[in-house]
Amino acid sequence: MGGSAKLYREQIADLRSGFRLDDDERFGARVAALARPLIEQAKREYPESAAWDWELHTTTDGDANAYAMAGGKMLVSRAYVDQLALTDAELAMLLAHEIMHAVLRHNLKEFGEALRLEPERAKQPFQEFEHDIDNDNALMRKLASFNQRQEMEADREGLMFAVRGGWRPQALAGYFRKLAKHSHYPNFERFDHPSPASRWQAARELAAQLEAGR
Ligand SMILES: [Zn+2]
């Protein structure tokens, strides 16, 4: 998660000018084949998102990982998917997580939380405010636990969303197992993300519950 719509446009433009946008046809086709039905499902389940100009790009640039902006703008990095050796189900889980950030309007909620914490920011020019949300360390620290809850929500809702889309819970949860396994600091909480180990535990428990109910 993270970044503004402006940041997305800038990153897409940078990748395009460096010939790194949608630069692997096979990978792009694989991601699109998995993402398309999930996006159609999102449009049905979250009707306000049907009007969005959904956009999906891929890149081989190793600096990007995967993210979705408000309004359904997504970017997936092949380096990240290769590094974790994701299966189709695991890649679907990653996409479902990103789609949940968008349809649950996590960006907007983060702005709301920032204004609740620092009401005087209502007077700040929006571009500055938007920039600070991702760059001002003091504000980011204050938002960390809120954002971690949003991450857990995107994990949980994303897993259930992908299950409704026909994927097996256990296969989806494999994404979090790989995330924890490949992390150098599986128990370390980053600013805005819960620890990979706790995400894997939550996904494992949810998948077991869902499998039991099948
Ligand atoms: Zn996320």
Side-chain angles (χ1 to χ4, degrees), residues 38-55 69-73 99-100 102-105 161:
L38 292 173
I39 290 171
E40 289 311 309
Q41 184 187 341
K43 289 178 177 175
R44 287 194 304 275
E45 293 189 10
Y46 301 86
E48 71 279 7
S49 76
W52 293 354
D53 184 17
W54 287 83
E55 206 175 318
M69 326 267 36
K73 310 288 188 199
I99 289 170
M100 286 303 104
V103 297
L104 298 173
R105 302 194 179 259
F161 175 79

Side-chain angles (χ1 to χ4, degrees), residues 1 97-98 101 151 154-155 193 199:
M1 172 184 179
H97 171 101
E98 298 304 329
H101 277 315
E151 287 307 317
D155 285 351
H193 276 66
R199 295 176 72 186

Side-chain angles (χ1 to χ4, degrees), residues 54-178:
W54 287 83
E55 206 175 318
L56 174 69
H57 289 292
T58 60
T59 179
T60 59
D61 189 320
D63 290 338
N65 49 39
Y67 63 77
M69 326 267 36
K73 310 288 188 199
M74 303 165 71
L75 176 69
V76 182
S77 145
R78 202 193 89 178
Y80 179 73
V81 173
D82 281 356
Q83 189 200 347
L84 296 181
L86 298 182
T87 64
D88 282 352
E90 292 158 359
L91 184 46
M93 180 61 237
L94 169 66
L95 293 165
H97 171 101
E98 298 304 329
I99 289 170
M100 286 303 104
H101 277 315
V103 297
L104 298 173
R105 302 194 179 259
H106 280 173
N107 259 28
L108 211 62
K109 290 176 185 163
E110 188 185 19
F111 287 144
E113 177 67 4
L115 285 175
R116 196 185 65 80
L117 291 166
E118 298 186 350
E120 68 282 6
R121 285 192 179 270
K123 293 184 229 123
Q124 196 180 14
F126 183 71
Q127 284 227 339
E128 233 177 83
F129 176 43
E130 206 179 20
H131 177 267
D132 286 354
I133 284 229
D134 295 319
N135 296 282
D136 178 328
N137 275 356
L139 178 59
M140 287 164 73
R141 275 188 196 286
K142 287 190 205 170
L143 286 168
S145 66
F146 180 82
N147 281 335
Q148 288 191 9
R149 285 196 300 279
Q150 297 214 112
E151 287 307 317
M152 295 304 271
E153 184 181 45
D155 285 351
R156 186 179 62 247
E157 295 296 323
L159 197 145
M160 293 191 294
F161 175 79
V163 167
R164 291 195 297 279
W167 295 96
R168 294 263 336 233
Q170 299 283 19
L172 294 164
Y175 168 66
F176 298 97
R177 183 176 52 77
K178 286 185 180 169

